[in-house]
Amino acid sequence: MDTTNLKKVKLCKLNDCGGDVKKRWFIDYGIYNPLQKRLETKRIWLPTNPPNADYRYQLAKDLSNEIDKKLKRGILHSTPKKEKKLTPTNFLEITENILTKLVAEKVLRKKSKQRYYTACKHLDNFLLKTSIHFTDITSIIVQDFIKYLKVSDRHKKNIVGFLKSVFGYLIENNFMPYNPFFGSDDKIKYEDSELNCPYSD
């Protein structure tokens, strides 16, 4: 374990509101901000559904373990945000702006843009239902999202593939520190091995 990294982070701590499942539980952790020369607190809100304490404690434990491992390895870090023209706070608005920009730059075709946007709508519905902000998504939450999708496994893999690319663009635009969708499609088992590549038409 690199103790140098531990000096620049604060490991996860759960606030369970005294065990009251009617309230919003959250996990706080800290990342060192080199510009401000101090620890910057990050917060992950746990989903309100289902209103079950055991489920939330287990979810909090899994999330904390996942994040703490990355903190100790120095994977998570505070990236100074550049000035950006993208100002919306809504997930669909942000992704729409990014995808439109990519089409204008001829990085993405219009037909592909619609496929990306459709995948984003699936995720947005899940985020609204679970009251999770897109910047708080972890690989564990991605697995819950995959279970939430009421489509075939082949379709799930396509959706995750598109979202993996979308979150790559979000990282490039300083909205995300890492991509929670990496490796998620490998955990989807399906019979038909043929799928649409998110980079093609």
Side-chain angles (χ1 to χ4, degrees):
M1 182 187 302
D2 188 349
T3 56
T4 302
N5 288 332
L6 289 178
K7 295 178 181 179
K8 296 183 178 181
V9 300
K10 180 180 179 182
L11 299 182
C12 292
K13 182 178 181 181
L14 170 67
N15 185 322
D16 63 359
C17 301
D20 188 348
V21 294
K22 294 181 180 180
K23 296 182 179 180
R24 293 289 306 278
W25 296 14
F26 58 87
I27 297 171
D28 280 345
Y29 63 94
I31 304 177
Y32 183 74
N33 186 317
L35 291 182
Q36 299 182 5
K37 297 182 179 180
R38 65 178 179 83
L39 279 177
E40 190 175 87
T41 300
K42 301 290 184 179
R43 177 165 294 178
I44 296 179
W45 293 95
L46 298 183
T48 55
N49 291 314
N52 179 287
D54 290 338
Y55 172 83
R56 288 196 198 176
Y57 281 123
Q58 185 60 51
L59 177 60
K61 180 180 178 181
D62 292 342
L63 281 172
S64 296
N65 287 340
E66 177 185 342
I67 294 170
D68 284 348
K69 286 179 182 178
K70 292 180 178 179
L71 288 171
K72 292 174 183 178
R73 291 171 59 192
I75 295 177
L76 291 181
H77 55 85
S78 178
T79 304
K81 295 184 181 296
K82 301 176 182 178
E83 289 188 10
K84 45 185 176 287
K85 297 180 181 179
L86 300 173
T87 56
T89 56
N90 177 275
F91 174 68
L92 282 181
E93 287 181 295
I94 291 173
T95 51
E96 168 72 14
N97 282 346
I98 292 176
L99 295 175
T100 299
K101 179 183 176 184
L102 292 173
V103 170
E105 295 174 350
K106 297 184 178 180
V107 175
L108 200 66
R109 297 181 181 180
K110 289 184 179 180
K111 187 176 180 180
S112 294
K113 175 191 172 184
Q114 184 56 45
R115 293 176 179 174
Y116 280 82
Y117 190 72
T118 299
C120 289
K121 287 180 69 175
H122 281 292
L123 179 59
D124 189 60
N125 289 336
F126 171 77
L127 296 177
L128 290 173
K129 185 175 182 179
T130 56
S131 300
I132 297 174
H133 193 271
F134 76 90
T135 57
D136 294 330
I137 296 176
T138 64
S139 59
I140 294 174
I141 292 176
V142 169
Q143 294 307 310
D144 287 339
F145 166 64
I146 291 172
K147 294 175 184 177
Y148 160 83
L149 291 170
K150 304 302 180 184
V151 296
S152 68
D153 286 347
R154 182 173 181 272
H155 195 181
K156 287 180 180 180
K157 192 140 188 169
N158 284 330
I159 291 171
V160 170
F162 284 117
L163 289 172
K164 184 193 297 183
S165 299
V166 168
F167 273 74
Y169 295 133
L170 289 173
I171 292 172
E172 292 177 9
N173 286 273
N174 297 319
F175 284 103
M176 291 289 294
Y178 68 102
N179 195 328
F181 282 88
F182 268 120
S184 297
D185 48 348
D186 296 333
K187 299 179 182 179
I188 304 173
K189 297 180 179 179
Y190 61 105
E191 295 181 359
D192 189 351
S193 60
E194 182 181 357
L195 69 153
N196 294 325
C197 175
Y199 294 100
S200 66
D201 289 315

